[in-house]
Amino acid sequence: SQKNKIKIYVTLKCFNQRNIISLVTSADARKNFIINALYLMESKNLDGINVDFEYIGTPGEAARNGFSLLMKDLLSRSLSLL
């Protein structure tokens, strides 16, 4: 537990390539994902978020760029909560 100085994280997983692409290539979907992930973290008093997206093969440029934006924006928004 946190009183014992153990960090508690939520892991958000996705192993479906179609869902990953849909999420990361849509600005609205990325925004909603971040809002919901941060709400979950805050409402449960968790220490952080672990994103476990596993894409088989080589994603296209739009998916790579979208994933990078998702991670950048999630980090930026989470740091603003500190």
Side-chain angles (χ1 to χ4, degrees):
S1 72
Q2 292 171 331
K3 66 182 177 182
N4 296 324
K5 299 185 181 184
I6 295 172
K7 300 285 185 182
I8 301 173
Y9 295 84
V10 61
T11 298
L12 304 174
K13 298 188 217 182
C14 185
F15 303 141
N16 180 294
Q17 288 166 238
R18 197 172 311 133
N19 291 345
I20 292 170
I21 292 170
S22 294
L23 170 63
V24 302
T25 58
S26 165
D28 286 338
R30 288 193 307 266
K31 178 182 173 185
N32 288 333
F33 176 87
I34 291 168
I35 289 168
N36 289 318
L38 294 176
Y39 173 79
L40 178 62
M41 185 184 78
E42 289 184 302
S43 69
K44 301 296 184 185
N45 198 30
L46 303 175
D47 296 299
I49 299 167
N50 176 33
V51 177
D52 182 11
F53 286 5
E54 297 188 22
Y55 190 97
I56 304 298
T58 305
E61 184 177 353
R64 284 193 314 269
N65 291 344
F67 181 77
S68 295
L69 280 172
L70 177 66
M71 294 298 99
K72 177 181 164 258
D73 292 346
L74 179 59
L75 176 61
S76 175
R77 294 279 304 272
S78 63
L79 291 175
S80 71
L81 298 174
L82 298 176

